[in-house]
Amino acid sequence: MTTVGDISRWMNNIAPLALSESWDNTGLLLGDPAQVVTKLMTCLTLTPESVSEAVAEQASLVIAHHPLPFKPLSRITTDSLAGKLLWKLASAGIAVYSPHTAWDSADEGINALLANYLQLQNVQPLVPCEVPEFIGKISGRDGSGTCQNHVR
C-alpha cells in the first residue's frame, strides 16, 4: 500500500527539494506521511473549486504545483482564504504536497519538458546552480533564483 510518505519520497527523487528556492514552501505541507493513498489528485493551484473537487472525490493526497500556504501562517482559521482551504483539506484528511521551484529546476521538470517539447537548443542555466550535487544538471527555474534557464 502506497503512503503519503512514499509519494513524497518519490517526488523528492524526481524534483529534489534541495533545488527549491530559499523563499519557497515545498514538500509535504499538510498531512500524515503514514496515511495510505487511495486516490491522488493533481492541480496547478489549490483554489476553492479544486479543494471542493478533492473533497468530493475523496482524494487522499493533492499534488499542487503552487504551495498552500505559500508564506508561513501564524494561525489556521477560516477567516482567511488560505486558512479556509487548509481547514477544509485537513478536515477531510487530504494531504498536500507542493514541488513548486524544485519541479521548475528538476532534470526532468517543467522547464526541461517545455524546452524539449519546443526543441530548444543550447539550453543552459542563466545563473550557475549553487547546490553542489546538482551543478551541471539543472534544467531551469522560474522566478529570480539561483538556477534559472535561458536560451542563448
Side-chain angles (χ1 to χ4, degrees), residues 8-20 26-27 97-109 134:
S8 295
R9 284 186 292 281
W10 182 81
M11 288 296 298
N12 190 49
N13 283 334
I14 62 167
L17 296 178
L19 298 177
S20 300
T26 57
Y97 187 97
S98 173
H100 199 215
T101 54
W103 180 245
D104 293 338
S105 291
D107 259 351
E108 296 181 21
F134 299 108

Side-chain angles (χ1 to χ4, degrees), residues 41 46 49-60 62 89 92 94:
M41 181 177 136
L46 285 165
E49 295 79 14
S50 61
V51 169
S52 292
E53 181 180 348
V55 171
E57 293 295 325
Q58 299 178 329
S60 306
V62 175
L89 290 162
I94 300 172

Side-chain angles (χ1 to χ4, degrees), residues 23-26 29 66-73 82 86 98 100-101:
W23 48 261
D24 204 4
N25 191 17
T26 57
L29 305 180
H66 296 120
L68 181 71
F70 188 78
K71 294 182 179 182
L73 299 174
L86 289 168
S98 173
H100 199 215
T101 54

Side-chain angles (χ1 to χ4, degrees), residues 13-146:
N13 283 334
I14 62 167
L17 296 178
L19 298 177
S20 300
E21 291 291 340
S22 60
W23 48 261
D24 204 4
N25 191 17
T26 57
L28 182 61
L29 305 180
L30 177 69
D32 178 1
Q35 177 184 342
V36 173
V37 176
T38 57
K39 191 177 281 190
L40 185 142
M41 181 177 136
T42 63
C43 63
L44 180 63
T45 303
L46 285 165
T47 64
E49 295 79 14
S50 61
V51 169
S52 292
E53 181 180 348
V55 171
E57 293 295 325
Q58 299 178 329
S60 306
L61 171 64
V62 175
I63 298 176
H65 182 70
H66 296 120
L68 181 71
F70 188 78
K71 294 182 179 182
L73 299 174
S74 57
R75 64 186 57 84
I76 298 174
T77 68
T78 58
D79 293 336
S80 70
L81 179 59
K84 188 178 292 187
L85 296 177
L86 289 168
W87 187 258
K88 189 171 183 177
L89 290 162
S91 296
I94 300 172
V96 175
Y97 187 97
S98 173
H100 199 215
T101 54
W103 180 245
D104 293 338
S105 291
D107 259 351
E108 296 181 21
I110 190 66
N111 288 320
L113 293 171
L114 287 170
N116 288 338
Y117 180 78
L118 296 170
Q119 299 178 345
L120 301 179
Q121 302 295 313
N122 302 318
V123 177
Q124 49 191 295
L126 179 61
V127 178
C129 182
E130 298 171 3
V131 180
E133 64 267 31
F134 299 108
I135 292 175
K137 296 182 179 180
I138 304 304
S139 297
R141 262 197 197 172
D142 67 0
S144 57
T146 57

